[in-house]
Amino acid sequence: MMDRDTRNAVIAAVWIMLLFGIGAFYLPTIMLALGSLSTVLAAAFGIVFVLAFFSVFWLRSRNQRKNQGK
């Protein structure tokens, strides 16, 4: 059986993956719409989206590492 911390980590990962999965599904549509305004804006949006995905897991790992001793 999973302990409470492991279960919470799994639930958080599922939510993060689900939300970013939905975002990735609509990413091409959003980038095409932004690309009609500015290609730089569309590229910047794509870069920010990818960086946000990895940043969420990086921040979560920092938080887990900080709370490890508690």
Side-chain angles (χ1 to χ4, degrees):
M1 294 298 290
M2 283 194 270
D3 63 341
R4 182 174 181 230
D5 293 334
T6 305
R7 187 180 67 243
N8 288 344
V10 169
I11 292 171
V14 166
W15 274 108
I16 292 167
M17 294 296 286
L18 183 66
L19 291 175
F20 276 101
I22 292 169
F25 181 77
Y26 289 109
L27 184 64
T29 306
I30 294 169
M31 287 185 69
L32 286 172
L34 291 174
S36 66
L37 299 173
S38 168
T39 55
V40 174
L41 185 61
F45 183 79
I47 291 169
V48 168
F49 181 83
V50 172
L51 288 176
F53 177 75
F54 290 109
S55 297
V56 166
F57 286 108
W58 176 70
L59 289 171
R60 179 143 175 83
S61 70
R62 284 188 60 195
N63 187 32
Q64 292 292 338
R65 216 174 309 131
K66 183 181 73 172
N67 293 334
Q68 190 84 13
K70 293 182 181 180

